[in-house]
Amino acid sequence: MSKRYAVGVDFGTLSGRAVVVAVEDGAELGSAVHPYRHGVLTDRLPDGRPLPPDWALQDPTDHLAVLRIAVPAALAAAGVDPRDVVGVGVDATSCTVLPTLADGTPLCTLPGLRDRPHAWPKLWKHHAAQSQADRINAVARERGETWLGRYGGRVSAEWQLAKALELLEADPEVFDAAERWIESADWIVWRLCGRETRNVSAAGFKGLRQDGREPSPEFLAALHPALPGLLAKVDGPLAALGARAGTLTAEAAGWTGLPEGTLVAVGAIDAHVTAAAARCVAPGRMLAVLGTSTCLIMNADDCHEVPGVCGVVDGGVSAGSWGYEAGQSGVGDIFAWYVDRALPASYVEQARRRGVSPYELLDSLAAEQPVGGHGLLALDWHSGNRSVLMDHELSGVLVGLTLATRPEEIWRALLEATAFGARTVVEAFTAAGVPVRELTAAGGLTANRLLLRIYADVLGRPLHVLDAAQPAALGAAIHAAVAGGAYPDVSTASEAMGAPHRETFHPDPARAAAYDELYAEYRALHDHFGRGGTDVLHRLRALRNRALRNRALRG
């Protein structure tokens, strides 16, 4: 077994990464990262056509470039014989969904549709379908749809149905032209093995599939008479996580440098495969994947309806357990926004003189501040709220500013806001009878030690930190090892191949007590702006969107 390897490929928001790991123990032998050429399309299409507010698209050719560039580079770095690779696993952001022809050709690559924004893949953080999500929720409640409770009582604008309804209402010709409507991870697997499969995780968490059924045609028709047509577009063969989707085609073998016929695992959601990398498959072990956004993933033995949860799905994280997902739409994105768009130039220059990044400078200046010493409080809603409010028309809030407020104090308040948001989720799980017995953090933001210290203090519990440079890609490789027959199931493979903890942050009792007081104020602000105390954030969003549309119409 020590001479057998697995390849994992993780398709993130801005780049894709490939790793080659040993099947015996998950040791990383080689890796490579390829940034997407087009990144995230938020302002305009590649041809210059402007996009409305709250849009986020991707170019599927960027994903294929990762297969052609990152996978061969990772194999070369590992120095292994490609014939010893037992399988390839793929994960991607979700819900990132694209319309295609029946053979998988993305509509946005067709000459007659390339200038139609709705023909492009909609990234997970495409939030322009909030009005459709609101209507889905209202109709589901009116009809007493039983599946709604398994999604915390609210369907998200980020998910498949809201995006499909937006497509149908805004561009029915593209809706009709789309013969398939498929998650990015499943589409990439289709490109690799020439066979369409759909993973049960995305179908359940993002496609609202429960108890073996999609939402009924009658429910869809209540939203739009033509919407039942969506069912034929998503009716693909379902497969469990860790199952075999097929084998590499000759074309895909040429892309990747792997032999034709190499086994390919069923696609998966990035945060969900990371649970296997973090050895968080056992019930009660919550994983927080801290990155651009945060996903909070956990298994449990039983199904409970958790208010504000993103979903509970049978087999949604691993077979044999009920998988739970919650999350925060903006975390790393908030920090990047502050540094890129709000940090004074003098701080950027100070960081340059010290030979550090602006992030490192802010951390060093904020690290010794006493809890509450800045007099600030922020709401982490710059990209809307995924859990527990499920409302992407909410926006960020910062209160307590004075003429003495310094940039590093705002920075710390933003770090704390994301920790408060995570605590809100953990408390929702606990209150619903789904205890969180252990908490592990993974993802790019685990490089920020100040952030991890704040999380441990705010949550009031130990925080384990995963020691893996590319945890999602490792998780995809673990699923590839299972698909390739090296292990009987994901749980067994996780214990053998999962990464160890790098360290554990323990809460400081004095700081934790001070954060309890500050968190109570956060919850008051959270409920006032998010639960009916005022509708000002929604009104401001509507005013902004109207002004931007009017400006676009004026040319």
Side-chain angles (χ1 to χ4, degrees), residues 221-246:
L223 293 166
H224 191 290
L227 192 56
L230 176 67
L231 294 174
K233 304 176 192 294
V234 301
D235 184 24
L238 284 170
L241 301 180
R244 299 179 181 183

Side-chain angles (χ1 to χ4, degrees), residues 5 22 26 33 40-41 50 53 104 111 139 181 204 207 269 287 292 303 361 368-369 404 411 419 498 510 538:
Y5 313 102
V33 178
V40 178
L41 305 173
V139 173
W181 179 250
I269 299 173
L287 171 67
T292 304
C303 177
L361 173 66
E368 299 309 316
Q369 295 173 15
W411 174 251
H538 294 103

Side-chain angles (χ1 to χ4, degrees), residues 221-451:
L223 293 166
H224 191 290
L227 192 56
L230 176 67
L231 294 174
K233 304 176 192 294
V234 301
D235 184 24
L238 284 170
L241 301 180
R244 299 179 181 183
T247 60
L248 283 183
T249 65
E251 180 183 37
W255 294 340
T256 61
L258 290 164
E260 182 180 357
T262 301
L263 287 167
V264 179
V266 169
I269 299 173
D270 51 0
H272 295 203
V273 296
T274 305
R279 298 178 180 170
C280 287
V281 174
R285 296 180 178 178
M286 177 175 278
L287 171 67
V289 184
L290 306 177
T292 304
S293 64
T294 285
C295 284
L296 296 146
I297 306 298
M298 195 172 74
N299 272 331
D301 291 325
D302 303 306
C303 177
H304 294 265
E305 294 184 355
V306 182
V309 77
C310 294
V312 51
V313 175
D314 189 8
V317 176
S318 57
S321 297
W322 286 90
Y324 291 76
E325 178 187 336
Q328 297 161 262
S329 295
V331 179
D333 263 357
I334 297 175
F335 308 151
W337 160 81
Y338 183 66
V339 169
D340 295 342
R341 301 195 178 189
L343 189 64
S346 61
Y347 275 67
V348 177
E349 175 59 23
Q350 183 181 165
R352 187 193 66 77
R353 290 198 307 268
R354 293 190 183 187
V356 298
S357 72
Y359 296 91
E360 292 169 319
L361 173 66
L362 289 167
D363 281 347
S364 67
L365 295 174
E368 299 309 316
Q369 295 173 15
V371 175
H374 47 47
L376 302 173
L377 191 60
L379 293 177
D380 51 319
W381 299 346
H382 296 60
S383 191
N385 181 284
R386 183 182 297 162
S387 298
V388 294
L389 301 174
M390 201 71 75
D391 185 345
H392 293 288
E393 290 190 345
L394 294 172
S395 49
V397 175
L398 178 64
V399 298
L401 291 167
T402 73
L403 294 178
T405 300
R406 301 185 61 80
E408 60 267 28
E409 295 174 328
I410 297 174
W411 174 251
R412 182 171 178 129
L414 294 174
L415 300 183
E416 291 168 343
T418 67
F420 292 147
R423 178 168 169 175
T424 303
V425 173
V426 172
E427 290 186 350
F429 271 79
T430 303
V434 186
V436 178
R437 300 187 181 92
E438 186 176 297
L439 187 61
T440 300
L445 290 181
T446 58
N448 187 317
R449 295 181 62 82
L450 173 60
L451 181 70

Side-chain angles (χ1 to χ4, degrees), residues 186-187 189-198 237-239 244-247 249 266:
D186 294 332
W187 177 78
V189 167
W190 193 356
R191 296 299 86 194
L192 286 172
C193 62
R195 177 174 177 265
E196 180 186 0
T197 54
R198 294 177 183 251
L238 284 170
R244 299 179 181 183
T247 60
T249 65
V266 169

Side-chain angles (χ1 to χ4, degrees), residues 201-221:
S201 183
F205 283 107
K206 314 304 179 181
L208 309 182
R209 183 179 176 87
Q210 291 285 348
D211 301 322
R213 298 185 301 276
E214 314 286 344
S216 70
E218 294 77 16
F219 169 72
L220 299 180

Side-chain angles (χ1 to χ4, degrees), residues 49-303:
R49 180 187 175 100
L51 295 172
D54 301 321
W55 275 58
L57 307 177
Q58 287 190 312
D59 189 326
T61 63
D62 289 342
H63 295 90
L64 298 183
V66 172
L67 299 175
R68 294 195 303 267
I69 296 171
V71 175
L75 287 167
V80 305
D81 187 336
R83 292 173 296 181
D84 291 328
V85 172
V86 303
V88 179
V90 167
D91 72 81
T93 60
S94 181
C95 175
T96 297
V97 66
L98 62 157
T100 77
L101 297 180
D103 64 359
T105 301
L107 295 190
C108 66
T109 64
L110 301 176
L113 295 174
R114 193 158 177 80
D115 62 347
R116 306 275 280 270
H118 286 281
W120 289 72
K122 290 177 178 172
L123 184 62
W124 63 269
K125 64 177 182 176
H126 174 92
H127 291 152
Q130 184 62 51
S131 64
Q132 285 81 11
D134 292 340
R135 199 158 75 256
I136 292 168
N137 292 323
V139 173
R141 285 191 292 268
E142 291 169 4
R143 290 175 51 89
E145 297 290 340
T146 57
W147 48 260
L148 188 62
R150 291 189 181 174
Y151 299 95
R154 290 180 66 86
V155 169
S156 172
E158 294 181 348
W159 299 348
Q160 175 180 280
L161 185 56
K163 289 173 175 173
L165 182 55
E166 179 198 23
L167 166 60
L168 173 58
E169 293 181 333
D171 197 337
E173 291 183 2
V174 171
F175 180 88
D176 291 340
E179 295 169 306
R180 312 302 289 155
W181 179 250
I182 190 166
E183 282 274 350
S184 180
D186 294 332
W187 177 78
I188 294 164
V189 167
W190 193 356
R191 296 299 86 194
L192 286 172
C193 62
R195 177 174 177 265
E196 180 186 0
T197 54
R198 294 177 183 251
N199 72 85
V200 296
S201 183
F205 283 107
K206 314 304 179 181
L208 309 182
R209 183 179 176 87
Q210 291 285 348
D211 301 322
R213 298 185 301 276
E214 314 286 344
S216 70
E218 294 77 16
F219 169 72
L220 299 180
L223 293 166
H224 191 290
L227 192 56
L230 176 67
L231 294 174
K233 304 176 192 294
V234 301
D235 184 24
L238 284 170
L241 301 180
R244 299 179 181 183
T247 60
L248 283 183
T249 65
E251 180 183 37
W255 294 340
T256 61
L258 290 164
E260 182 180 357
T262 301
L263 287 167
V264 179
V266 169
I269 299 173
D270 51 0
H272 295 203
V273 296
T274 305
R279 298 178 180 170
C280 287
V281 174
R285 296 180 178 178
M286 177 175 278
L287 171 67
V289 184
L290 306 177
T292 304
S293 64
T294 285
C295 284
L296 296 146
I297 306 298
M298 195 172 74
N299 272 331
D301 291 325
D302 303 306
C303 177

